[in-house]
Amino acid sequence: MNLNEEVELLKRVPILSKIEPAKLKLLAFTSERVNYAEGQELCHQGDPGDAMYVILGGVADVLIDSEAGQIRVAEMKKNDFLGEIAILCDVPRTATIKAREPLSTLKISKDTFYRLVAEVPQMAIEVMRELAHRVVDTNKKLQEATAKQAA
């Protein structure tokens, strides 16, 4: 895939859609394209977080460790991003991400992510929106689980 094709892919990612093409080209050039096989981990819960990922193709599971083993709490697919919590909060990875099928990602370093957010405030808004949606979804799942336990 050439640089212009990568820029076209990145334009379709909601958090990157407001970035001008020249900056997307720089992002594609400075970020690492990483592919994962089915069952391979992108990151493991508790590991240090030094980058975020944009999924360019494929599906991954978001897994949380529990006393009963790993629990699948979400799925990530094309145009989704992950790993931002570890770099925004400077905390270890909050979940394990495992490829459910062959997965293609763009790995964006912490420095590059911060530079983009500083240069493109709309990107920060899109990240906040997505994080808010995730909190709403998590709260809904927690309410459903609590209702099942009470029944």
Side-chain angles (χ1 to χ4, degrees):
M1 180 177 294
N2 69 38
L3 201 54
N4 290 330
E5 290 171 327
E6 280 201 15
V7 168
E8 288 305 311
L9 275 176
L10 295 177
K11 281 182 185 178
R12 295 184 203 120
V13 177
I15 65 165
L16 305 176
S17 64
K18 306 287 191 234
I19 298 175
E20 62 191 66
K23 286 185 179 166
L24 284 178
K25 192 174 273 192
L26 183 61
L27 174 63
F29 182 74
T30 58
S31 298
E32 182 182 359
R33 185 78 177 268
V34 185
N35 295 312
Y36 297 88
E38 180 180 337
Q40 192 175 3
E41 287 185 0
L42 281 75
C43 57
H44 191 82
Q45 185 175 340
D47 287 351
D50 61 346
M52 68 171 283
Y53 299 83
V54 175
I55 296 181
L56 302 176
V59 178
D61 289 322
V62 180
L63 307 164
I64 302 288
D65 293 338
S66 75
E67 290 178 14
Q70 286 188 323
I71 300 171
R72 181 180 168 273
V73 295
E75 90 173 8
M76 307 299 280
K77 54 190 182 304
K78 186 176 182 176
N79 296 337
D80 285 339
F81 63 94
L82 55 104
E84 74 290 340
I85 292 173
I87 60 176
L88 282 171
C89 300
D90 227 6
V91 296
R93 297 285 185 196
T94 58
T96 297
I97 311 297
K98 188 181 287 188
R100 187 186 314 160
E101 58 186 49
L103 194 65
S104 174
T105 68
L106 187 69
K107 183 178 180 182
I108 303 171
S109 73
K110 183 177 186 174
D111 292 339
T112 299
F113 175 76
Y114 277 118
R115 187 173 62 247
L116 274 173
V117 168
E119 292 176 7
V120 186
Q122 186 64 34
M123 183 178 166
I125 292 168
E126 295 302 325
V127 169
M128 286 188 295
R129 267 195 193 123
E130 179 60 26
L131 291 173
H133 285 297
R134 291 179 189 177
V135 169
V136 168
D137 186 53
T138 299
N139 286 343
K140 181 180 172 188
K141 288 178 180 175
L142 184 58
Q143 287 172 338
E144 290 169 357
T146 303
K148 283 181 184 177
Q149 285 182 340

